[in-house]
Amino acid sequence: MRISCPKDILFEKLQIVLKTVATKSTMPILAGIHIRTTGPGEIELSSTDMEMSLRITAGATVEEEGAVVAPGKLLTDVVRSLPAGEISIASEDENQMVDIVSGQASFKLNCLPAQDFPRLPEMQDEASFEIEAGPLLKVVNTVARAASRDETRPVLTGILVKFSKDRLKMVATDSYRLSVMESAAGSSLADKKEVIVPRHALEELPRLFDQKDDGKITIAIAESQIMFRDEGTLLTSRLIEGQFPNYQQLLPDEFKSEVKIDKEELLEVVGRIGLMAQKNAPLKLSFDDGRLTVSAQTPQVGEAMESLAVPYSDEAMEIGFNPEFLRSGIESVDGDDVVVRIISALRPGLIKGEDDDFLYLIMPVRLTS
Amino acid sequence: MPPPRSAPHDEGPSNPNRLETMDATQPLTISSFPRAVIHIDADAFFASCEQSRNPKLKGRPVITGKERNIVASMSYEAKERGVVRAMRLSEVRRLCPDAVFLPSDYETYSLLSERMFSIVRRYTPDVEEYGIDECFADITGMRRPLRMDYRRIGRAIKEELDRTFGFTFSIGLAPNKTIAKIASKWQKPSGFTAIAGRDIHSFIEDLPVEKVWGIGPQTTAYLNKLGIRTALQFARKREEWVKERFSKPFFETWRELNGGFAKELELEEKTTYASIQKVKTFTPPSNDREFVFAQLAKNVENATMKARRYHLAAGRAILFLKTQDFRGAAAEVRFSRATAFPHEVIAAMEPAFDRLFRPSKLYRSTGVVLFKMEDDTIIQPDLFGVTARIERISKAYEAVDAVRRKYGKHTVFLGSSFAAHHFGQHLGERGDAPERKDDLFKGETPRQRLGIPMFMGKVR
């Protein structure tokens, strides 16, 4: 193989595929980035950690066809360190050494055996459909953060994704809060599809794909895999098996009180007072006639409180929330106002915008002495 | 009181006629007792407890620690014959064939320990219980209410303790904890040493720096490399010099060597823990997986019980196993949610235990450390009702803890630790129980007894 490519393009693409390079795997080959020529003026870079894989194409001058697997982290570090300009990559024997030359600098890296590199799945065009990129990325950005990081319940580390002809819905929960968002999203899908996608995979999407108004992303769902493709970039991920909890059941039918609060103001107060809610201490919201008082107290650290005028007229109520969960919910709301709905100090509270397209259910923290 | 040893006198500055440089005779401070702290140390506490409640043992070499097969404490009669702590009992037998070996009776020792602290509290409320047999007491400002000077107060405490217990205590009076520790050690057993601020220099002139409380082997090695061998050499260093090279605790030690007061007494009873550790040795060593695991499970039960008492839950735990040749193996376990329930901790530990356990090895002890402790009074319930289930389990453990408080620590236990409860911790000669446990009063059980140490002499 003998190719050359401008440094900034090569470095940008390497950084992207580096994400799915597995450095701590028992399979050494997964620490590599696979580079191969795919056409007269094109190369493809790919990597996989067996959960996810990334493939990305780049324009390059191809002098001789071929393929090579180079240690991913080292290759990226070498390319990063080189000055701007054309970098040439060449390998006589794909299992021996790869030469990287730029200007007066030349490197020889030991390769990994190319035949060991796993075969990455191809996208089956007949099973694929297109969806509007804008709504897809927006819903991911809003919902993904509520998914669990705790591996003991694998299904909660995924996000339930429901595709239909003109709508898209995602649900995530770490069992302390639940985030649901539905959005209009035109797609070429004829029927409905429902899958659980790992949080990590969906969080890659905004990084990989531009959020253009008219952009489209192609999706293919196979038995245990999902693929996302836009032009030269292809992300594949394993799907999570199992039953996602029935979230509909968790949403209370009725709430006792509802109050609309200016989003920016509430976010600032929560951020400020939250500084005094450390070591698991909750943020206390005290609703009283026309007033909301946010307070926090951590033993041996200190305390803080702040009031803001809100249109609340029901009987006084106090409820405590994990400050991080609360802030995350408020931030996710679109628009100028947030609507907070509560039932009691022990029942979940709901945060939403003007419309019902986004719902954020959050379980209160209980204080016992 | 006669001057201790040959060197300094406790009542005044050192002899001006001594041929020494100005540097060595110059006091470190000119004040005497800006603060008055006493350190009280029971002499050969465990052995003394045994002698005190069984007069037949008085005057004889008494050794405790039979269950561990090494010396835990020895009476002064044994000490004179060359017995030292941690010596093997077989070696003691050679040195001292008439020695009396007794199993440790911690129940009695802690009862007497509490009594010791309560006597000291008659003189001042500010008492730090530093160990089972030692404490610090701040008597600053007590001269007027007690109508005694500081030395009189110190002597009065000593006299009352000696008289009450029938064995002796060593007491040091000084302007701070560090010097008080040096003072109580100055003359042992049954010493009373007062070191006024202006006399500190003569007491620490020849004191190796490693003998100073809080200076360990690492710091000693570093100090030696800096050319410092005695406590006085360290005390004479300039403040900036010390600050540049040492962290805060050592700077505090330096200040106290110079007569300042830097280490506060810890008067509060501990209400929280950063970690909780439980370790138990058993004999004979075993390679029976069920038995060794049961020992570990028992440690988990004890550790989680303590965690629950302080309303703490652990985010992580370490388990460790020690083999007969004193080699250890350890593993860390993470919990998905902080817990103080033994069945959850044990379940999470079992796979790690099986990775560590080698049937070809003989194990002699197991241990557990709970850490990443969280306050479990703040409850974040979940949307799926798992918390509600946990709370039902909490109720069950509250009941278990109540039963244990009433009827003894091991009346109710998990099946996992059955083997550890079913057999004594130590079999064979080392398995002898303290005499106190043989003889029960009406209504006492082996696990629950009256809170009074038993007198074993005959009253005629």
Side-chain angles (χ1 to χ4, degrees):
Chain A
M1 187 189 76
R2 189 173 298 275
I3 57 161
S4 68
C5 182
K7 181 228 163 146
D8 43 347
I9 293 179
L10 186 61
F11 179 56
E12 184 204 324
K13 308 284 176 183
L14 280 171
Q15 266 192 313
I16 291 170
V17 286
L18 192 62
K19 183 78 188 179
T20 50
V21 164
T23 45
K24 284 178 187 155
S25 170
T26 49
M27 291 167 69
I29 190 72
L30 300 184
I33 289 176
H34 188 251
I35 304 173
R36 67 182 181 115
T37 57
T38 43
E42 191 187 75
I43 56 169
E44 184 196 72
L45 308 177
S46 57
S47 69
T48 176
D49 57 11
M50 300 307 271
E51 295 270 303
M52 267 201 296
S53 73
L54 273 167
R55 309 162 75 161
I56 191 160
T57 54
T61 313
V62 176
E63 289 171 34
E64 190 188 320
E65 290 185 0
V68 71
V69 181
K73 174 82 170 58
L74 187 59
L75 176 66
T76 312
D77 286 345
V78 166
V79 171
R80 186 206 319 267
S81 73
L82 291 170
E86 201 73 359
I87 296 175
S88 71
I89 299 176
S91 165
E92 293 302 323
D93 176 341
E94 63 177 33
N95 293 330
Q96 295 293 320
M97 308 293 281
V98 59
D99 297 320
I100 299 160
V101 179
S102 167
Q104 296 301 304
S106 77
F107 289 79
K108 259 186 195 307
L109 308 188
N110 281 352
C111 293
L112 297 161
Q115 71 275 10
D116 289 356
F117 196 81
R119 256 198 56 182
L120 300 181
E122 296 290 337
M123 187 173 253
Q124 305 296 320
D125 284 330
E126 57 273 25
S128 69
F129 58 94
E130 279 191 333
I131 188 166
E132 286 177 77
L136 176 70
L137 300 179
K138 165 110 185 79
V139 176
V140 167
N141 278 331
T142 308
V143 169
R145 59 174 101 180
S148 175
R149 290 170 197 274
D150 184 351
E151 297 291 334
T152 50
R153 264 189 94 182
V155 76
L156 299 188
T157 63
I159 296 163
L160 178 69
V161 187
K162 291 179 165 192
F163 298 102
S164 64
K165 189 164 167 39
D166 47 12
R167 296 200 77 73
L168 168 71
K169 188 173 197 170
M170 291 196 198
V171 186
T173 176
D174 59 7
S175 86
Y176 303 111
R177 58 205 166 134
L178 170 82
S179 187
V180 184
M181 189 171 186
E182 193 168 7
S183 167
S187 82
S188 60
L189 189 68
D191 51 351
K192 289 180 179 175
K193 283 210 191 296
E194 197 176 305
V195 284
I196 306 170
V197 185
R199 165 202 184 125
H200 304 298
L202 288 181
E203 279 178 339
E204 281 303 300
L205 298 181
R207 207 172 67 94
L208 293 174
F209 305 120
D210 290 337
Q211 196 165 346
K212 284 175 293 197
D213 284 343
D214 54 344
K216 296 239 193 262
I217 291 175
T218 307
I219 297 178
I221 297 170
E223 210 165 298
S224 62
Q225 303 254 29
I226 186 164
M227 287 177 222
F228 299 87
R229 191 181 67 196
D230 176 33
E231 291 168 7
T233 306
L234 177 69
L235 169 75
T236 316
S237 169
R238 158 192 77 87
L239 290 172
I240 295 177
E241 313 262 332
Q243 188 72 42
F244 200 84
N246 183 352
Y247 67 93
Q248 219 75 44
Q249 227 171 34
L250 301 174
L251 292 164
D253 297 330
E254 274 179 36
F255 288 88
K256 212 171 135 204
S257 312
E258 178 179 306
V259 60
K260 197 193 279 184
I261 309 169
D262 182 85
K263 180 185 159 186
E264 286 311 314
E265 194 183 355
L266 182 61
L267 208 51
E268 273 187 25
V269 172
V270 164
R272 252 195 307 271
I273 305 304
L275 294 172
M276 285 300 171
Q278 299 176 10
K279 300 178 189 162
N280 284 345
L283 206 57
K284 199 159 78 180
L285 307 190
S286 313
F287 292 95
D288 208 341
D289 206 22
R291 220 156 64 123
L292 165 63
T293 306
V294 181
S295 62
Q297 184 187 8
T298 308
Q300 274 130 46
V301 175
E303 54 186 60
M305 65 186 294
E306 184 169 352
S307 293
L308 59 171
V310 296
Y312 183 84
S313 53
D314 292 325
E315 62 180 287
M317 175 144 41
E318 277 189 353
I319 190 164
F321 291 115
N322 172 313
E324 200 41 59
F325 293 171
L326 183 65
R327 182 162 54 228
S328 164
I330 300 167
E331 269 171 3
S332 303
V333 170
D334 227 2
D336 296 335
D337 291 320
V338 285
V339 174
V340 178
R341 287 182 180 166
I342 46 179
I343 304 169
S344 75
L346 302 178
R347 300 287 313 278
L350 186 82
I351 291 168
K352 63 191 239 10
E354 300 272 1
D355 308 317
D356 279 345
D357 56 352
F358 170 68
L359 302 175
Y360 187 88
L361 194 67
I362 170 173
M363 203 61 190
V365 173
R366 180 147 35 99
L367 277 167
T368 58
S369 48
Chain B
M1 178 180 152
R5 295 188 195 166
S6 58
H9 192 278
D10 74 336
E11 299 287 343
S14 48
N15 186 346
N17 295 330
R18 276 195 304 180
L19 283 172
E20 274 167 357
T21 60
M22 268 306 287
D23 192 42
T25 54
Q26 187 164 355
L28 292 154
T29 169
I30 51 163
S31 49
S32 55
F33 292 106
R35 293 284 289 256
V37 176
I38 57 176
H39 178 246
I40 300 156
D41 194 3
D43 298 322
F45 185 61
F46 296 171
S48 296
C49 287
E50 298 288 354
Q51 286 179 324
S52 139
R53 64 161 175 179
N54 188 351
K56 276 190 219 146
L57 299 175
K58 286 228 166 115
R60 295 184 62 188
V62 174
I63 313 282
T64 73
K66 192 179 183 186
E67 77 286 354
R68 288 160 67 199
N69 211 17
I70 54 166
V71 177
S73 162
M74 62 278 168
S75 68
Y76 274 84
E77 293 82 2
K79 207 177 258 181
E80 275 166 20
R81 311 264 288 268
V83 177
V84 293
R85 280 185 67 176
M87 191 180 260
R88 284 184 163 274
L89 296 195
S90 52
E91 210 175 321
V92 178
R93 266 187 209 106
R94 273 195 297 111
L95 272 175
C96 185
D98 55 333
V100 183
F101 298 101
L102 296 171
S104 304
D105 178 4
Y106 291 106
E107 189 178 287
T108 298
Y109 308 153
S110 62
L111 283 169
L112 292 174
S113 171
E114 276 167 36
R115 190 162 297 181
M116 162 183 162
F117 301 139
S118 71
I119 288 173
V120 179
R121 287 203 171 89
R122 293 176 191 167
Y123 295 83
T124 170
D126 293 349
V127 175
E128 175 184 341
E129 300 177 7
Y130 187 67
I132 193 166
D133 61 345
E134 57 177 311
C135 65
F136 291 100
D138 187 339
I139 53 168
T140 313
M142 297 306 289
R143 284 179 292 200
R144 197 171 300 169
L146 293 174
R147 293 167 203 276
M148 291 186 258
D149 66 21
Y150 289 141
R151 288 180 175 80
R152 275 297 311 145
I153 299 172
R155 287 213 175 87
I157 294 175
K158 175 169 164 52
E159 275 156 28
E160 188 167 353
L161 288 170
D162 288 358
R163 195 174 57 240
T164 310
F165 286 90
F167 58 83
T168 59
F169 290 77
S170 294
I171 291 188
L173 164 65
N176 58 53
K177 284 163 80 175
T178 305
I179 302 297
K181 266 261 190 192
I182 294 170
S184 68
K185 277 216 178 56
W186 194 257
Q187 215 190 3
K188 242 184 170 300
S190 198
F192 173 78
T193 306
I195 304 180
R198 59 175 175 274
D199 299 331
I200 295 172
H201 63 288
S202 52
F203 280 83
I204 65 173
E205 191 183 339
D206 297 319
L207 186 74
V209 73
E210 63 264 34
K211 297 276 184 197
V212 176
W213 179 49
I215 296 188
Q218 294 295 325
T219 315
T220 303
Y222 180 48
L223 283 164
N224 289 347
K225 286 188 177 63
L226 296 168
I228 293 172
R229 307 216 168 251
T230 69
L232 185 62
Q233 286 171 339
F234 183 45
R236 294 271 189 225
K237 286 290 173 191
R238 281 180 304 114
E239 181 170 339
E240 300 74 43
W241 187 92
V242 178
K243 270 190 172 163
E244 253 169 51
R245 290 167 179 79
F246 295 93
S247 58
K248 191 164 168 253
F250 299 104
F251 176 63
E252 287 177 354
T253 300
W254 175 85
R255 274 181 59 199
E256 296 215 326
L257 288 172
N258 279 290
F261 182 87
K263 294 181 194 276
E264 287 288 339
L265 274 74
E266 284 166 32
L267 307 174
E268 301 281 307
E269 209 184 318
K270 272 209 155 181
T271 53
T272 191
Y273 288 86
S275 69
I276 292 175
Q277 176 172 323
K278 292 283 170 192
V279 189
K280 269 254 155 75
T281 308
F282 45 87
T283 35
S286 170
N287 64 350
D288 177 346
R289 189 219 171 260
E290 297 316 310
F291 180 75
V292 178
F293 188 70
Q295 291 287 345
L296 180 71
K298 189 174 165 187
N299 284 326
V300 171
E301 282 185 275
N302 290 337
T304 49
M305 196 161 119
K306 185 168 178 183
R308 291 197 299 275
R309 188 159 68 236
Y310 291 97
H311 298 290
L312 295 171
R316 292 191 204 171
I318 291 174
L319 65 145
F320 55 90
L321 306 175
K322 277 206 179 107
T323 57
Q324 198 183 10
D325 52 5
F326 295 93
R327 283 173 202 282
E332 187 180 313
V333 181
R334 293 173 185 222
F335 309 120
S336 58
R337 167 182 57 71
T339 176
F341 301 137
H343 67 278
E344 291 185 330
V345 178
I346 291 168
M349 277 186 172
E350 192 155 8
F353 175 86
D354 284 328
R355 279 198 304 278
L356 295 179
F357 185 80
R358 301 268 175 278
S360 57
K361 296 236 162 103
L362 283 170
Y363 291 90
R364 60 185 291 274
S365 78
T366 66
V368 58
V369 187
L370 304 179
F371 65 113
K372 294 267 169 196
M373 306 306 283
E374 287 179 9
D375 183 346
D376 83 343
T377 55
I378 299 169
I379 296 170
Q380 164 77 71
D382 70 317
L383 292 159
F384 303 114
V386 176
T387 321
R389 187 176 58 81
I390 291 163
E391 287 185 341
R392 281 200 296 280
I393 301 171
S394 296
K395 288 237 160 61
Y397 279 107
E398 273 169 32
V400 166
D401 291 344
V403 167
R404 284 173 172 170
R405 273 194 301 276
K406 189 159 183 191
Y407 297 105
K409 201 165 159 191
H410 300 284
T411 29
V412 185
F413 51 86
L414 291 176
S416 324
S417 62
F418 178 75
H421 285 91
H422 197 59
F423 303 104
Q425 199 68 22
H426 302 281
L427 300 177
E429 207 191 7
R430 281 167 71 176
D432 289 357
E435 215 173 323
R436 161 125 181 88
K437 301 200 176 181
D438 295 342
D439 225 345
L440 300 176
F441 285 117
K442 192 172 184 322
E444 283 189 321
T445 68
R447 285 262 173 231
Q448 183 152 46
R449 287 179 297 277
L450 295 172
I452 29 177
M454 202 199 299
F455 183 69
M456 286 165 178
K458 285 211 170 72
V459 182
R460 267 182 273 188

